[in-house]
Amino acid sequence: MQIQLPDLSTTRRAIRAGLTSAHEEMDRAIGVSASDSCKNALLKTFGESARTQTRDSSLANRCLAGLAVSVKDLFDVQDQVTTAGSIVLSDAAPARQDCPAVARLKSAGGVLIGRTNMSEFAFSGVGTNPHYGTPANAAATDVPRIPGGSSSGAAVSVATGAAFIGLGSDTGGSIRIPAALNGIVGFKSTARLVPTGGAIPLSTTLDTVCALTRSVSDAIVAHEVLAARTVTRSNAPMSTYRLAVARSLMQDGLDSTVAAAFQRSLDRLRAAGVVVEDIDLPELNELATLQATGGFSAAESYAWHRTLLKNHADQYDPRVALRIQRGASMAASDYIDLTHARADWVARMNAQLQRFDAVLSPTVPIIAPPIAQVAPGVERDEAFFKVNGQLLRNTNVVNMFDGCAISIPCHNPDELPVGLMIWHGALRDDAILNIALQTEHLLQH
């Protein structure tokens, strides 16, 4: 059974009430980061530096109150080498300055506890890493299970208590997948709201800088810091919302645990007076064809990696190199066609969903499989790519839609984690967060 840890909002209130201190909380976080529960989750830790910073009493009055924040190894931190979970960039020059996302977290009073492990170059929803090891799912106690990716270490750092916020990225589900599998919250904002500068790109079209947290209220705090904006709160009762459930694609092939948890969530919402309507959304079935040549991620990652691949292909995770190299065969005309086809698809999706406040779906269709099933090795490649496809199927919809989405836990305490995804189109972030805040309360009580 997963232990429910205090979230940032609760801990911040406790600090201001004198019940604890940022220094005490940092000591706890450092202890967790060095424990077996965080094995392989952090590639580099800043323990002593973090302890020193929390002695600054002025942090208590800032938004993040001097509490621990982890940073995915995709983002520049001043004087640190950004390796993106790879050995290819081990000899790269250190960053000259913090990327905007890290700078905003620090300015808000967040204290960096370490750089987190990830799928190499963020190109996998599974979370395995052959170079630095794979962090085990924080919620699994039976066998070591995958953490989900690509923000694998970020999720484990938050779920175990090593960090209150895990800065990560989401190109096809890399925040929401590990959130769902580890039983925490992952919010993917509208991509344009947070600057992506100082982060190694996967897809310049789809990349989103966002965070993992332990609660929806913390997700709001993290988003406000990262996007430098204030979320408009709403006290509208749940009965005023109209929610859609897509029959197409997103409920295909659900694991029995996921299917049961998703149905329970719908039943509780309906019992609370929420209008939940099942709809056909045939546009979802077009995505596979739309991305048949590899999609934006293959084309845009190949453009960034082509010189490195030419000189250091043998140092890449073979599974990552294979996916990047698909971009080499995409013609400029194919890429332009994809751009136009996506714009048309987004317009038709918006037309279908305009009468709804949000859409509900399982975040991922399966619970976390054992690491051994997909561990690095040619003999397990088929299983790996099958699981990767399953994990990305639902979440990728939102990235292609240029939308926003949140994954919140919806499983019973004695079950492996399952995520409920609440989503819609671009710039619906505040509505999604307000609906999620009330849905989280409803499901927990």
Side-chain angles (χ1 to χ4, degrees), residues 209-420:
V209 177
C210 41
L212 292 134
T213 59
R214 294 182 205 148
S215 67
V216 177
S217 61
D218 284 5
I220 293 172
V221 170
H223 174 64
E224 289 183 329
V225 170
L226 292 172
R229 62 181 295 270
T230 301
V231 172
T232 300
R233 307 296 181 98
S234 171
N235 294 318
M238 286 293 285
S239 58
T240 64
Y241 292 115
R242 188 181 188 89
L243 308 181
V245 177
R247 295 191 189 98
S248 313
L249 185 74
M250 288 185 158
Q251 295 186 66
D252 293 347
L254 298 184
D255 170 274
S256 59
T257 302
V258 174
F262 183 59
Q263 188 58 53
R264 279 197 309 267
S265 301
L266 300 183
D267 291 345
R268 289 178 186 175
L269 286 164
R270 288 179 170 124
V274 184
V275 176
V276 180
E277 183 179 335
D278 291 305
I279 64 168
D280 291 315
L281 199 54
E283 287 78 6
L284 297 182
N285 296 317
E286 299 173 22
L287 275 183
T289 302
L290 204 64
Q291 302 177 97
T293 57
F296 292 110
S297 293
E300 292 168 352
S301 64
Y302 181 74
W304 195 91
H305 284 272
R306 62 187 185 274
T307 301
L308 279 172
L309 276 170
K310 181 180 178 180
N311 298 321
H312 304 286
D314 60 325
Q315 295 180 40
Y316 277 71
D317 177 348
R319 293 166 172 174
V320 171
L322 181 67
R323 298 183 76 196
I324 294 174
Q325 286 166 337
R326 289 188 70 191
S329 61
M330 185 182 286
S333 55
D334 293 333
Y335 182 84
I336 292 169
D337 286 346
L338 175 61
T339 302
H340 292 321
R342 182 203 186 200
D344 172 70
W345 182 81
V346 168
R348 288 185 286 115
M349 284 279 287
N350 275 318
Q352 287 272 45
L353 298 175
Q354 63 180 346
R355 62 193 178 94
F356 296 101
D357 296 291
V359 188
L360 306 175
S361 69
T363 308
V364 295
I366 57 174
I367 56 171
I371 291 175
Q373 182 180 324
V374 295
V378 174
E379 71 279 3
R380 287 183 289 274
D381 282 356
E382 184 177 349
F384 172 88
F385 285 112
K386 178 181 178 181
V387 168
N388 190 56
Q390 289 174 309
L391 294 174
L392 288 162
R393 187 194 69 194
N394 290 2
T395 55
N396 174 59
V397 168
V398 181
N399 300 81
M400 285 296 287
F401 190 32
D402 189 28
C404 52
I406 193 166
S407 178
I408 64 175
C410 67
H411 56 286
N412 283 334
D414 60 344
E415 296 173 333
L416 284 169
V418 177
L420 172 68

Side-chain angles (χ1 to χ4, degrees), residues 100-113:
V102 169
R104 289 178 179 184
L105 289 169
K106 285 184 175 180
S107 180
V111 176
L112 305 191
I113 192 169

